[in-house]
C-alpha cells in the first residue's frame, strides 16, 4: 500500500507527525510513505529513513506571486508529480483548507479529521474518509490516532519515538559537552531576555559545558554575538543551512530553547531539552520527548536562569539512568 502524507508546515507540526509514522511502520509493514511538505522543511522530513519520496510545495512563496507564470508551472509540476505517485491513500494530517487542496491534487482517496476535529472544518469537504479525534489532545497524539483510524490499527500511546536520526555534518563539530542555546524565535513576546541567556551560558561554562549559539537574521545575530561576547567559551555558529544546524544540534549533550521549531527537533532526537515558554501555552503543541521538559512563565512572572539550570540538571541525570527511555 502506498500512502502520501500531507503535512506542509510548520517545523513543529512536521516533527509531531513522526511518531505516527513510527506507529504505522510497526503495525502496517506493508505500507510505504511519501510526504508533501513546504520546501523549507523538506530537510526535516528527510531525517526519517522510511520516507521514500518528498514532494515540495511552496505555498508561502506562491502566495506572493499568484499570477506569475513560474508559479503556475510549479503548481502544475506538483500536480503531475502527485498524480504520478499513484497513491492508494492520502492522509491530510494538517486539517486545513490549503492542505486539503494539496491532498486533492494526488487524485486518490483522502483521509482526514472529521468536521468536529479538523482545525478548519471546510477542509473536510475534500475528504472521502473522515475520523473523529478529540481536539483537546496533544498534536502528537491526535495525529497518531488519525493514522491508526485511517490505516486500521490501535497505536500504543505508551511508546513515543520519532525514528529520526541527526544528519552528518560537513564541518567539524566542537568537542566536549555541547549545550545548544536556541534563543531565536518568531515572535518578540516568545523571546527570553538576552541577559538571561548570557547568565545561563556562564552557568553552563562553570559546569564544563560548551555553549553553542547560532542565528538566522540580523536581530538573532546581535543576540548570539552578545552571548558569545559575555561567555567567552561560547561557540558561535554562523548562519547555516538547516541540515548543518540539525547535525550539530543532534550531537549536543543538552539543549535549552525558546518556543521554536528547533526545540521540537531536539526533543524528537531524544536529547535532554528544556523549552522556555513565555507567551504561549505548550499543553497541546509543546515539545515532547523522553527527556524533554517545558518551563512556562507564570502570569506576570518570568522563567529564571536558575530554574532553567535546575531543570537541565534534572533531565541530564534522568537521561543518564541505564535503560531509561
Amino acid at each position: 500500500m502506498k500512502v502520501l502524507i500531507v503535512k506542509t508546515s510548520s517545523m513543529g507540526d512536521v516533527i509531531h507527525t513522526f511518531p505516527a509514522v513510527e506507529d504505522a511502520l510497526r503495525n502496517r509493514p506493508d505500507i510505504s510513505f511519501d510526504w508533501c511538505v513546504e520546501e523549507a522543511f523538506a530537510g526535516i522530513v528527510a531525517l526519517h529513513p522510511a520516507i521514500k519520496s518528498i514532494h515540495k510545495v511552496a505555498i508561502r512563496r506562491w502566495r506572493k506571486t499568484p499570477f506569475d507564470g513560474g508559479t503556475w508551472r510549479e503548481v502544475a509540476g506538483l500536480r503531475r508529480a502527485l498524480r504520478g505517485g499513484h497513491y492508494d491513500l492520502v492522509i491530510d494530517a494538517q486539517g486545513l483548507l490549503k492542505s486539503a487542496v494539496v491532498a486533492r491534487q494526488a487524485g486518490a482517496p483522502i483521509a482526514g479529521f472529521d468536521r468536529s476535529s479538523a482545525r478548519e472544518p471546510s477542509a473536510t469537504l475534500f475528504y472521502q474518509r473522515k475520523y473523529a479525534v478529540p481536539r483537546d489532545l496533544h498534536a502528537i497524539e491526535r495525529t497518531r490516532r488519525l493514522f491508526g483510524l485511517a490505516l486500521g490499527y490501535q497505536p500504543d500511546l505508551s511508546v513515543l519515538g520519532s525514528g529520526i536520526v541527526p544528519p552528518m555534518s560537513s564541518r567539524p563539530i566542537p568537542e566536549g559537552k555541547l549545550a545548544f542555546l536556541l534563543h531565536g524565535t518568531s515572535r518578540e513576546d516568545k523571546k527570553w531576555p538576552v541577559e538571561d541567556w548570557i547568565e545561563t551560558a556562564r552557568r553552563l561554562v562553570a559546569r564544563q559545558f560548551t555553549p553553542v549559539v547560532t542565528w538566522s537574521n540580523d536581530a538573532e545575530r546581535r543576540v548570539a554575538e552578545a552571548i558569545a561576547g559575555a561567555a567567552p567559551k561560547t561557540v558561535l555558529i554562523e548562519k547555516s543551512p538547516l541540515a548543518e544546524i540539525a547535525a550539530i544540534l543532534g550531537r549536543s549533550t543538552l539543549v535549552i530553547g525558546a518556543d521554536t521549531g528547533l526545540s521540537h527537533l531536539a526533543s524528537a532526537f531524544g536529547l535532554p531539552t528544556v523549552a522556555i515558554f513565555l507567551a504561549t501555552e505548550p499543553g497541546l503543541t509543546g515539545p515532547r520527548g523522553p527527556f524533554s521538559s517545558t518551563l512556562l512563565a507564570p502570569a506576570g512572572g518570568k522563567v529564571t536562569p536558575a530554574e532553567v539550570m535546575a531543570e537541565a540538571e534534572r533531565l541530564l541525570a534522568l537521561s543518564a539512568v541505564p535503560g531509561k527511555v
Side-chain angles (χ1 to χ4, degrees):
M1 183 177 183
K2 194 173 182 182
V3 175
L4 174 68
I5 300 168
V6 175
K7 188 79 161 189
T8 61
S9 62
S10 61
M11 187 189 301
D13 290 341
V14 169
I15 293 166
H16 285 161
T17 308
F18 289 136
V21 174
E22 288 293 285
D23 291 337
L25 294 173
R26 284 192 296 270
N27 289 277
R28 292 290 306 272
D30 60 308
I31 293 178
S32 67
F33 287 106
D34 289 355
W35 199 309
C36 191
V37 65
E38 272 283 342
E39 56 187 359
F41 306 121
I44 297 297
V45 173
L47 296 176
H48 200 296
I51 304 304
K52 304 299 183 183
S53 297
I54 300 173
H55 301 283
K56 300 176 186 178
V57 298
I59 296 172
R60 297 177 179 182
R61 180 164 54 80
W62 293 339
R63 283 175 173 168
K64 297 177 182 178
T65 56
F67 304 111
D68 183 78
T71 296
W72 283 99
R73 284 190 292 273
E74 289 186 35
V75 172
L78 173 66
R79 179 182 173 88
R80 286 193 300 272
L82 294 181
R83 292 290 173 115
H86 303 293
Y87 296 106
D88 299 296
L89 181 68
V90 180
I91 300 179
D92 179 4
Q94 200 144 20
L96 299 178
L97 183 58
K98 68 175 183 180
S99 59
V101 170
V102 170
R104 187 173 184 179
Q105 305 312 304
I110 305 172
F113 298 107
D114 71 3
R115 189 171 182 83
S116 65
S117 309
R119 290 164 62 187
E120 292 181 357
S122 57
T124 65
L125 296 173
F126 294 86
Y127 304 159
Q128 287 72 48
R129 306 175 190 179
K130 308 171 189 180
Y131 302 100
V133 179
R135 297 193 63 173
D136 60 349
L137 302 174
H138 191 278
I140 291 176
E141 184 174 344
R142 272 172 49 84
T143 306
R144 295 177 74 180
R145 291 191 181 205
L146 173 63
F147 273 54
L149 290 166
L151 300 175
Y153 60 83
Q154 180 68 39
D156 181 358
L157 299 176
S158 67
V159 178
L160 178 63
S162 68
I164 62 174
V165 294
M168 297 300 296
S169 177
S170 62
R171 69 176 69 181
I173 293 179
E175 296 182 357
K177 298 188 299 181
L178 303 185
F180 213 128
L181 306 183
L182 302 172
H183 59 88
T185 188
S186 59
R187 284 169 33 189
E188 285 297 320
D189 58 354
K190 291 182 179 182
K191 294 180 179 179
W192 207 34
V194 63
E195 56 268 23
D196 289 338
W197 285 113
I198 289 172
E199 182 179 342
T200 300
R202 288 171 171 166
R203 287 173 178 251
L204 287 165
V205 170
R207 288 165 171 76
Q208 309 304 311
F209 278 89
T210 298
V212 178
V213 293
T214 189
W215 55 275
S216 62
N217 56 47
D218 288 341
E220 291 179 11
R221 182 175 189 167
R222 290 191 290 272
V223 173
E225 290 176 344
I227 297 170
K233 292 188 178 181
T234 299
V235 174
L236 174 59
I237 305 295
E238 295 297 321
K239 182 178 180 180
S240 304
L242 181 57
E244 284 294 331
I245 299 302
I248 300 171
L249 183 72
R251 287 161 181 79
S252 299
T253 302
L254 171 68
V255 178
I256 298 172
D259 177 7
T260 180
L262 288 173
S263 295
H264 292 277
L265 184 59
S267 297
F269 281 149
L271 301 172
T273 304
V274 181
I276 303 165
F277 276 62
L278 304 179
T280 48
E281 170 57 52
L284 301 183
T285 58
R288 288 281 180 91
F291 307 113
S292 179
S293 178
T294 301
L295 295 181
L296 176 64
K302 61 177 292 184
V303 176
T304 68
E307 292 171 329
V308 169
M309 288 302 302
E311 187 64 8
E313 297 284 5
R314 185 185 74 83
L315 293 175
L316 287 166
L318 184 64
S319 68
V321 176
K324 185 69 175 178
V325 177

